[in-house]
Amino acid sequence: MPYINGLGKYVPEKIIDNAYLEKLVETSDEWITSRTGIKRRRMAAPDEITSDLAYKASLAALHDSGRNVTDITHVFVSSATPDALCPITACVLIRKLGIKGVMAFDCNAACSGFVNALQLACYTAKADPNALILVVAAEIMTRKVDWSDRSTCVLFGDGAGAVLVSQNLPPDPKGFTAEIKDILVDTDGEFSELIAIHAGGSREHYTVGTPVNREYFIRMEGREVFKQAVRSMTSASQTILERNGLKIEDIALAIPHQANDRIIQAVGDRLNIPEEKLFSNVSEYGNTSSASVSLALADARNAGRMPAGSTVLLTTFGGGFIWTAALLKII
Ligand code: ACO
């Protein structure tokens, strides 16, 4: 299977803590912390756009791998919050990176977008052994929440993570290096209404001058999403472990989608993953949608939680519904 070689992240400087949200909506640090584990989240500066976050994470991944930007052959940007409907963020990103002539496109699979893009990168790397694929997940969720809706505005944050994927490693790889052992992606459109942004696409009829109302912002049936998220990430993790002949004891670290500490904990409990093998940085960043697992990977690596030789389990869940699991062998 292909390899990740090079990992980078970027989060905006501005920190929004729970005390700040207490001034915006009827909520409390106690409610947010006990229900979600989130203490603070990052917010992009007014002049920062998704491709800026993607750009900085990409530079960090390139720096980590020691590769040149001109070595990149493909750019896949995962985002549910792109710069614009058109042009695609991937093309803005390659302009910022100063490269041309590469295959570049956006992929949106909501919170599971990073692992979906990683899967696509694996297919591409297998088909083209000379490819060097930049996979970036970048989100500015704070621009897609209704800041008067306390049930969603406390949950989300901004950030980006990037990796480089190739079929073969350079002779002396630098930086974060892992073999992508397996990826599982699953979907069920039955529940697509439970997490949605209804307007802004072709579905809601709008015309020039139509006011921007609540339909343009994220809506979520929290309780049902919670149940489905736990169920799906648990079963995907069990399936990928079984089909690779692994047990939970073989896993050094599990990194679930960073939506909510209670979801992470519930998945950990069902899989019997001990506390010290369950990674969470949701207290720092909130839910950064598809960027979440890539940011968590970068933080886990910086914290020394993924030593060489260890096997790491990723699992994600998001709107659609789309859920995933992946196994990485750290080199
Ligand atoms: N502060 C204070 N009270 C609040 C807040 C808030 N920020 N938000 C909701 N409440 C209130 C509700 O109004 C409700 O009050 P009521 O009983 O008077 O009607 C009460 O708290 C309970 O509301 P619930 O929504 O039932 O609260 P719950 O315990 O389910 O927690 C939460 C809500 C945190 C959203 C939870 O359902 C959850 O974590 N769901 C999963 C959502 C998620 O993480 N999705 C992401 C996965 S997919 C993706 O990443 C897009």
Side-chain angles (χ1 to χ4, degrees):
M1 283 286 277
Y3 296 90
I4 292 174
N5 176 217
L7 167 65
K9 75 166 207 187
Y10 171 75
V11 289
E13 273 173 34
K14 186 169 180 177
I15 297 172
I16 304 284
D17 63 13
N18 293 346
Y20 177 88
L21 295 178
E22 287 176 355
K23 294 180 206 142
L24 285 187
V25 287
E26 202 183 325
T27 191
S28 64
D29 174 45
E30 194 282 321
W31 193 96
I32 302 169
T33 307
S34 62
R35 296 299 214 288
T36 71
I38 300 166
K39 299 299 279 182
R40 53 195 74 82
R41 66 289 289 147
R42 299 301 176 106
M43 182 186 261
D47 61 348
E48 258 181 328
I49 57 176
T50 304
S51 56
D52 293 325
L53 275 58
Y55 172 68
K56 288 179 178 161
S58 303
L59 290 188
L62 279 163
H63 179 76
D64 186 45
S65 70
R67 305 244 203 173
N68 244 312
V69 68
T70 49
D71 297 337
I72 293 170
T73 57
H74 298 69
V75 175
F76 301 162
V77 174
S78 156
S79 188
T81 55
D83 283 3
L85 285 179
C86 187
I88 62 163
T89 306
C91 279
V92 182
L93 175 60
I94 63 165
R95 190 180 72 217
K96 289 178 180 172
L97 288 170
I99 52 176
K100 292 181 180 186
V102 300
M103 184 181 190
F105 66 94
D106 289 4
C107 12
N108 178 359
C111 298
S112 289
F114 176 70
V115 180
N116 274 257
L118 212 52
Q119 173 78 298
L120 212 51
C122 287
Y123 296 149
T124 307
K126 279 188 211 163
D128 178 358
N130 295 317
L132 181 64
I133 305 133
L134 173 64
V135 176
V136 196
E139 304 282 6
I140 301 190
M141 295 302 291
T142 58
R143 302 224 175 111
K144 282 292 168 195
V145 297
D146 169 0
W147 286 99
S148 65
D149 174 13
R150 68 178 181 173
S151 69
T152 52
C153 76
V154 303
L155 302 175
F156 295 98
D158 305 336
V163 293
L164 289 155
V165 175
S166 58
Q167 180 63 22
N168 302 307
L169 285 176
D172 182 19
K174 295 178 185 60
F176 178 82
T177 308
E179 186 181 1
I180 303 167
K181 298 297 281 183
D182 194 9
I183 296 182
L184 175 163
V185 174
D186 209 344
T187 49
D188 187 347
E190 198 62 38
F191 302 100
S192 54
E193 295 304 309
L194 297 187
I195 308 173
I197 299 174
H198 291 291
S202 64
R203 173 170 135 174
E204 287 280 322
H205 181 73
Y206 61 100
T207 52
V208 174
T210 303
V212 174
N213 59 31
R214 293 197 163 139
E215 298 302 304
Y216 286 78
F217 300 96
I218 196 160
R219 293 273 145 197
M220 183 165 61
E221 298 293 329
R223 285 210 172 164
E224 195 51 35
V225 171
F226 191 106
K227 282 190 248 164
Q228 295 292 341
V230 172
R231 207 171 287 153
S232 306
M233 286 195 281
T234 302
S235 70
S237 300
Q238 285 165 336
T239 304
I240 203 165
L241 287 171
E242 272 166 33
R243 78 185 189 190
N244 284 276
L246 294 174
K247 295 198 164 54
I248 209 69
E249 301 81 64
D250 300 316
I251 300 300
L253 192 67
I255 305 181
H257 172 46
Q258 305 288 304
N260 177 321
D261 253 340
R262 286 193 302 149
I263 296 179
I264 295 171
Q265 204 56 57
V267 172
D269 288 348
R270 278 163 183 72
L271 292 170
N272 283 321
I273 302 175
E275 187 81 32
E276 66 277 10
K277 289 188 174 185
L278 203 52
F279 189 82
S280 174
N281 62 3
V282 75
S283 62
E284 297 305 304
Y285 302 134
N287 182 347
T288 57
S289 189
S290 76
S292 110
V293 157
S294 60
L295 278 176
L297 255 184
D299 282 1
R301 182 260 191 119
N302 293 342
R305 304 271 304 267
M306 300 187 291
S310 62
T311 301
V312 173
L313 170 71
L314 312 180
T315 182
T316 68
F317 176 84
F321 289 146
I322 307 173
W323 61 98
T324 75
L327 288 171
L328 305 180
K329 180 92 174 170
I330 311 300
I331 292 168

